[in-house]
Amino acid sequence: MIGVAGIDCIRKLMRFAHPCLRGGRHVYHYRWYSGKSRTEIVEAEMTRIRNIGIMAHIDAGKTTTTERMLYYTGFTRALGDVDDGDTVMDYMSQERQRGITIQSAAISFNWKNHRINLIDTPGHVDFTVEVERSLRVLDGAVAVFDASAGVEAQTLTVWRQADRYSIPRIAFLNKMDKTGASLEYSINSIRDKLKTVPLVLHLPIGIEKTFNGMVDLVSMEKLAWTLGPGNDGSVYQTTLLQDVDDAQLQERALEERAILIEQLAELDDKMADLLLSGDGTCDLGSIPAEEVHMALQRVTQAQTGVPVLCGSSLKNKGVQPLLDAIIRYLPDPQDKGKELEQLYEDSLCAYAFKITHHKQRGPLTFLRIYSGTITPQSTIYNVSRDCTERVNRLLLVFADEYREMSSMSAGNIAMVVGLKQTYTGDTLVSSPSAVVSAKKVRGRLQEEGQSISVMGDEDAPVLAGLDVPEPVFFCTIEAPSMSKQQELDAALVNLQKEDPSLHVKIDPETGQTVLSGMGELHLEIIHDRILKEYNLETHLGPLQVAYRETVGGTAQETVTVDRVLGAQKHHAVVTVSVQPEEADGPTRDVAVYFGLDRRKVNKDVLTAVKTGIASSCTQGPLLGYPVVGAKVTVESIEVGPGTSLAMVSACAAQATQKVLKKSGGKILEPMMVLEITTDESHMRSVLADLSQRRGRVTEVQSRAETRVVKAEAPLAELMGYSTAIRTVTSGQATFTMELFSYEEMTSLDQNRLLKKMTTFNVEGS
Ligand SMILES: Nc1nc2c(ncn2[C@@H]2O[C@H](COP(=O)(O)OP(=O)(O)OP(=O)(O)O)[C@@H](O)[C@H]2O)c(=O)[nH]1
C-alpha cells in the first residue's frame, strides 16, 4: 500500500521517483509533484474507470499480486518483494517490519486505456474496519486465494462484508506453483464455503513446480510464460489452442468451455437465448469469445456468479489476464453513484474514506466522488460535522507521483489537502444549500415510492456511516511527561480521525487516558505510530479485556432524594425495575421503558430520568463495565416543586445502580471464534493448549497433512496467543480470531475475576 502517514514515507514520496538498487534491495521513491511531468494525466471518462480492491486471507498473496500489477502497468520499474520488505503498497514502516498490510489507500494506474483506482485492503482481522471503509468506495473487488488452501477464515469474513455492500467480485487462485495447489479443491471450497457459482475461466497448464500458464477458456488460447527478459513475466506467448499440438489439452479445454457456457446459460438469459437460437443444436465451442465476455460481465455484475482465474504472482504468471478481467467484468462507477446523482445532480457529493496525517501538510483526505466536481482552492461543506472546509490542493495518486489536478469529477478517487475537521466516514458536498435541495429531492422521490438506500440518516442526506465493531481490549496510555500531554492528546485526535475503530476516553475516576481497540495488535500499532509519527514515547498500561455487565434477574428499587440547597428544597422519588432483555443475546444498549402514564409527567423530567438511567448503565455495579442486555422500567416518578432536573437525574441514576446490584449482576465476557490451521504433528499440542484456555473445539477439518481447528474461547485467555501458538507448533500454525458474542461467565470464573480485579484495583490505587 502507498502509506502516506509516516514522515519517513513522506520524505521518500517527495523525492524523485525511481527504483534504485541499494544493498541488493530495491527501494522506491515517490515525488510530491508540482509542475510539469513526463506525461499528462487526463481525467478518465466514467466508463473507463474501475475502482477496485483486493481482498484476501493473510498471506494469500495480495501484496505480491498488487506489486505485479503495478509493475506490468508501468508503475514501477522493478519488482518488489514482500519477503524483502520493499514493496510499494506496504509502505508504512510497521507494515514492513511485520510483513502484513495494515491500512488502505488508493493508487491509480492505467491499463489498456482504462484507469484503475486500486484501494488496498488489509488481511488481518484486527483491521476489519479498514476493510469496511474500503468496501464502501469500491465498485468491484478481486478476491485472492492461496490455491493450496482454498477459502480461508478471513476471506470468509471479507466475502460476507463484500456481500453486504453488494460488490461484484472476481476470484484469483494464486500460488498455483505451490506444493498442494489444486484447482479442483479451491473451486469446491469457493462453491461450498462462499455459496457462489465459480465460473472457471482458466485451465492451468502444469501444477505446483511445473505450473507454466493456462488455457483461456473464453478465447481458447494457450497462455505460456516462457523465460522472458529478466524472467519478469512481462512477456508471455499466446497461441490459438487449435494450433497447439496437444490433443488431450484441446479435448479437456473444450469440455471445460462447454461447462462454462452451460453455467452461463443458466445464469444469464441472453446466453440462454443464444444457445437456443437457430435450430437449437448450437455448438458450445463456436460461441464467440465476445459473447462469452459479455455474459461474464453481466453475471459478475449481477453477482450471480464469480469468474475464477489462476496464476502465480510470485512466479510472475497470470497477472496480465487478471488485469484484463478487471476491466472486462468489473463495473464502472456509474451504478454506485446513481442514487446520489439523483439527489445532488451536478453538485458535489463525496465520501471521505481515508485520512492520513502529514506533519507539514496536515490531514490528507482520500475522497470517493459520487457526483459533481471538486476543484482546488474551493470551499466545501461537511454534512456529517456541519462545518465548512477548504480544499487547498487536489491530487491524484497516480503511479509514482502525487499529481496536482485542476478538477476531478464523479467516479474518481481524489486526495485533498486542507480538510481540517473531516473524519473518516464523513460526507462532503458543495454547500449547505445543496443539502437542502437534496433533502427536497429525496422527499419527492420517496413520495413517488422510491427508496434511497445509500442514505444512513433520516435528517441529513449523508452516506451511511461505518459499521464499527465494539472494541474488545483497552489499556491506559501515558504521555512521557506532563508537558507532553497536550501533544499526545493532539496525536490521539488525529489517529481517531483516521481510524474509527480506535476509541479514546478519560477514566472519570483516575483521570487517565484510556485507549480501546480491536485487538492486541491494533493497540500495539497505535503505540508504535505515536512513537514514529509523533515522536512521543508513551507508556501503555496492561492490556485489559472489555467485559460487559448484565442483570441477574428481576428486581425493583425506590430511591428518595431530599436536599436543601440554599433556599431551595429538592425532593424526588424514583422507582425503577429491571429484568433481563429478551432479545437474541445481549444487546448493546439498555432499553428504557415507562410503566407509568407519560402524559402526566413533564417532558423535561422524563428526559432527566432517562439521562440518569443511561449514565448509570455506562458503569455497572460489579466492575464498572457498561451494562447490556437489560430492560429498565421506570415505575413511578415524584418530583417536588422547584426541584432541579440535575437532582431528578441523580435520583434516577442512584435507583438504577441500586436495582442493578439487587438483581444480582453478572459479568459477560467476550468470546472469540478461532480458526487454527496446523499440521497433523502439532494437533495434540494445539488442542491441549486450547483446553487450558477454556476453549471449546467445534469442528476439525482435515486435508492431507493439514488440520483446521475451529474453536471458541474467552478473549481473556487469549492474550499473547499469537506468540503461544508459534511456540507450541514451532511456528507451523496460523490462526484468525474474531469476536462472536458476549457470554455469561460461570459463577466460579466470575468470582475469580472479581477477586482478581478488586485485588488489582486495591494494589493499583
Ligand atoms: N509459492 C508462492 N508464494 C507466493 C505467491 N504469492 C505470494 N507468495 C508468498 O506468500 C507470502 C505472503 O505474500 P503477501 O503478498 O505478503 O500476502 P498478503 O496477502 O499481502 O499478506 P498480508 O499483507 O499479511 O495480508 C510471501 O512469502 C510471498 O512471497 C505465489 O504465487 N506463489
Side-chain angles (χ1 to χ4, degrees):
M1 136 192 356
I2 182 160
V4 282
I7 186 72
D8 280 1
C9 144
I10 288 291
R11 244 183 247 128
K12 283 175 186 155
L13 287 165
M14 291 171 75
R15 273 185 253 155
F16 190 72
H18 67 91
C20 62
L21 218 61
R22 268 200 210 147
R25 284 172 43 175
H26 303 293
V27 180
Y28 299 96
H29 301 296
Y30 296 80
R31 65 174 165 174
W32 190 288
Y33 172 79
S34 56
K36 274 208 170 305
S37 178
R38 287 163 294 169
T39 48
E40 200 192 339
I41 305 302
V42 286
E43 220 197 311
E45 60 185 86
M46 182 95 95
T47 54
R48 293 187 178 276
I49 297 176
R50 299 290 178 274
N51 291 318
I52 64 144
I54 300 194
M55 53 198 222
H57 184 82
I58 311 154
D59 277 359
K62 189 178 65 218
T63 308
T64 310
T65 307
T66 310
E67 282 293 310
R68 283 358 181 219
M69 286 183 177
L70 299 180
Y71 180 73
Y72 298 129
T73 55
F75 178 117
T76 50
R77 276 169 264 154
L79 289 170
D81 189 334
V82 278
D83 302 320
D84 291 343
D86 61 358
T87 62
V88 175
M89 295 303 274
D90 281 346
Y91 218 109
M92 286 169 68
S93 57
Q94 288 93 338
E95 294 182 32
R96 285 174 166 239
Q97 284 160 15
R98 291 164 204 268
I100 52 163
T101 310
I102 300 166
Q103 290 195 329
S104 46
I107 200 162
S108 306
F109 51 83
N110 290 344
W111 179 251
K112 298 194 175 165
N113 214 13
H114 284 70
R115 168 79 38 86
I116 297 179
N117 297 320
L118 185 67
I119 292 133
D120 189 32
T121 52
H124 195 282
V125 74
D126 276 5
F127 308 108
T128 44
V129 171
E130 289 281 340
V131 183
E132 289 252 351
R133 75 171 172 212
S134 316
L135 291 177
R136 285 295 307 268
V137 297
L138 301 179
D139 299 313
V142 175
V144 176
F145 299 85
D146 175 339
S148 71
V151 176
E152 296 173 88
Q154 183 65 10
T155 320
L156 253 172
T157 312
V158 188
W159 196 270
R160 279 198 299 266
Q161 287 171 321
D163 278 341
R164 222 172 36 243
Y165 289 105
S166 299
I167 294 177
R169 276 146 272 177
I170 51 185
F172 181 61
L173 300 184
N174 188 33
K175 304 199 184 184
M176 290 303 291
D177 64 297
K178 196 178 155 187
T179 309
S182 159
L183 175 71
E184 199 190 342
Y185 174 77
S186 301
I187 293 296
N188 287 340
S189 132
I190 290 176
R191 182 184 299 111
D192 298 344
K193 292 192 181 166
L194 303 180
K195 311 278 179 244
T196 185
V197 181
L199 302 159
V200 181
L201 306 193
H202 285 163
L203 181 63
I205 300 175
I207 194 81
E208 301 179 347
K209 277 191 185 133
T210 62
F211 174 69
N212 182 40
M214 64 279 286
V215 175
D216 180 331
L217 297 170
V218 181
S219 64
M220 289 304 261
E221 286 168 331
K222 178 182 167 186
L223 315 179
W225 275 260
T226 43
L227 295 186
N231 194 16
D232 67 357
S234 52
V235 178
Y236 63 98
Q237 269 178 349
T238 307
T239 321
L240 278 177
L241 198 60
Q242 65 200 35
D243 299 333
V244 175
D245 187 18
D246 187 339
Q248 221 181 348
L249 187 69
Q250 286 175 355
E251 197 179 318
R252 264 201 71 200
L254 276 173
E255 280 169 17
E256 294 294 336
R257 191 179 206 259
I259 294 173
L260 172 67
I261 306 271
E262 277 169 7
Q263 280 180 307
L264 284 172
E266 269 180 34
L267 300 170
D268 180 65
D269 289 349
K270 283 195 182 150
M271 181 54 82
D273 287 348
L274 198 68
L275 282 193
L276 296 174
S277 61
D279 58 3
T281 55
C282 180
D283 170 11
L284 295 185
S286 70
I287 303 268
E290 206 38 50
E291 293 292 348
V292 185
H293 283 314
M294 303 283 280
L296 280 164
Q297 187 193 61
R298 289 189 295 269
V299 167
T300 310
Q301 297 189 13
Q303 294 161 63
T304 47
V306 174
V308 181
L309 294 89
C310 39
S312 162
S313 299
L314 188 68
K315 303 286 179 205
N316 308 323
K317 294 175 179 115
V319 177
Q320 297 94 330
L322 177 61
L323 285 163
D324 290 342
I326 290 170
I327 59 175
R328 267 191 189 123
Y329 310 135
L330 292 178
D332 65 39
Q334 286 183 88
D335 254 12
K336 275 265 167 83
K338 253 182 205 152
E339 283 189 344
L340 286 162
E341 262 193 323
Q342 270 182 302
L343 297 187
Y344 286 95
E345 295 169 351
D346 288 339
S347 94
L348 175 72
C349 180
Y351 176 78
F353 70 94
K354 180 171 174 71
I355 295 168
T356 60
H357 276 82
H358 177 231
K359 271 207 170 156
Q360 278 84 45
R361 293 171 200 274
L364 310 175
T365 311
F366 284 86
L367 298 180
R368 155 89 199 240
I369 309 170
Y370 285 98
S371 69
T373 305
I374 187 164
T375 50
Q377 302 301 320
S378 62
T379 303
I380 57 176
Y381 174 65
N382 183 328
V383 192
S384 315
R385 307 213 171 257
D386 187 20
C387 64
T388 302
E389 291 267 46
R390 176 140 186 96
V391 177
N392 290 340
R393 300 173 74 182
L394 181 67
L395 300 147
L396 172 72
V397 188
F398 188 84
D400 52 5
E401 295 173 349
Y402 285 173
R403 300 295 304 265
E404 297 275 357
M405 302 295 282
S406 55
S407 80
M408 284 178 87
S409 57
N412 281 289
I413 306 282
M415 196 178 90
V416 171
V417 184
L419 309 185
K420 295 202 167 64
Q421 299 172 70
T422 298
Y423 279 58
T424 297
D426 287 356
T427 304
L428 297 144
V429 300
S430 55
S431 66
S433 61
V435 182
V436 176
S437 21
K439 271 195 211 174
K440 275 189 198 148
V441 178
R442 180 172 65 177
R444 203 189 62 226
L445 292 174
Q446 278 168 344
E447 267 172 34
E448 289 166 8
Q450 196 176 321
S451 75
I452 304 291
S453 62
V454 287
M455 296 300 155
D457 192 316
E458 276 302 305
D459 294 329
V462 294
L463 290 143
L466 284 171
D467 195 358
V468 181
E470 284 282 280
V472 289
F473 273 125
F474 67 93
C475 63
T476 55
I477 183 165
E478 276 170 32
S481 63
M482 290 286 277
S483 60
K484 295 277 181 187
Q485 184 63 43
Q486 246 184 339
E487 276 180 53
L488 174 62
D489 292 344
L492 289 173
V493 168
N494 285 347
L495 288 166
Q496 273 186 289
K497 278 188 193 166
E498 295 175 25
D499 177 359
S501 64
L502 172 70
H503 300 247
V504 181
K505 66 167 193 178
I506 307 293
D507 185 311
E509 276 165 29
T510 61
Q512 285 176 301
T513 308
V514 179
L515 299 184
S516 34
M518 308 311 303
E520 268 179 298
L521 184 59
H522 185 204
L523 295 178
E524 246 179 69
I525 301 255
I526 295 293
H527 187 220
D528 270 14
R529 290 188 60 190
I530 293 174
L531 177 65
K532 300 225 167 73
E533 293 167 32
Y534 297 90
N535 210 13
L536 286 170
E537 206 159 328
T538 52
H539 172 72
L540 286 192
L543 206 58
Q544 295 185 49
V545 173
Y547 292 97
R548 296 284 182 271
E549 296 186 21
T550 193
V551 293
T554 316
Q556 183 162 320
E557 265 295 341
T558 302
V559 164
T560 306
V561 169
D562 272 313
R563 288 264 159 85
V564 181
L565 291 177
Q568 182 62 50
K569 196 170 172 248
H570 300 268
H571 170 78
V573 186
V574 176
T575 303
V576 291
S577 65
V578 290
Q579 65 185 95
E581 174 76 306
E582 280 152 21
D584 302 339
T587 50
R588 231 168 106 177
D589 298 317
V590 168
V592 180
Y593 298 87
F594 287 89
L596 45 84
D597 188 350
R598 294 170 66 162
R599 286 166 305 185
K600 292 190 179 150
V601 187
N602 176 305
K603 234 177 152 187
D604 293 340
V605 168
L606 287 177
T607 311
V609 168
K610 269 182 120 173
T611 312
I613 293 172
S615 84
S616 196
C617 288
T618 57
Q619 288 200 302
L622 295 174
L623 288 170
Y625 290 106
V627 178
V628 294
K631 176 176 165 183
V632 180
T633 308
V634 183
E635 304 290 353
S636 66
I637 307 171
E638 190 187 309
V639 179
T643 302
S644 78
L645 290 173
M647 212 52 90
V648 175
S649 215
C651 181
Q654 276 183 34
T656 311
Q657 275 293 307
K658 272 194 156 180
V659 79
L660 287 172
K661 213 175 232 169
K662 190 174 179 184
S663 79
K666 286 195 172 148
I667 303 214
L668 301 173
E669 63 176 341
M671 293 295 289
M672 309 303 280
V673 58
L674 287 154
E675 189 168 306
I676 307 146
T677 308
T678 180
D679 57 355
E680 155 92 274
S681 65
H682 291 102
M683 264 299 270
R684 265 175 167 225
S685 333
V686 169
L687 296 179
D689 179 67
L690 270 176
S691 78
Q692 278 181 7
R693 296 173 185 275
R694 294 195 276 137
R696 298 190 285 260
V697 174
T698 53
E699 197 184 334
V700 178
Q701 290 172 355
S702 308
R703 184 170 174 243
E705 297 299 297
T706 308
R707 300 284 174 274
V708 179
V709 180
K710 292 193 179 177
E712 292 162 10
L715 179 66
E717 306 289 342
L718 294 169
M719 297 235 192
Y721 189 63
S722 48
T723 314
I725 189 100
R726 225 177 292 136
T727 314
V728 297
T729 65
S730 313
Q732 291 301 309
T734 56
F735 77 100
T736 59
M737 98 169 135
E738 201 183 342
L739 173 73
F740 89 100
S741 72
Y742 276 89
E743 275 185 17
E744 256 179 46
M745 299 179 85
T746 62
S747 40
L748 189 70
D749 288 335
Q750 175 163 324
N751 287 338
R752 260 193 218 136
L753 178 74
L754 285 171
K755 202 168 159 204
K756 189 175 126 198
M757 299 293 269
T758 38
T759 323
F760 175 80
N761 284 341
V762 170
E763 281 170 358
S765 62

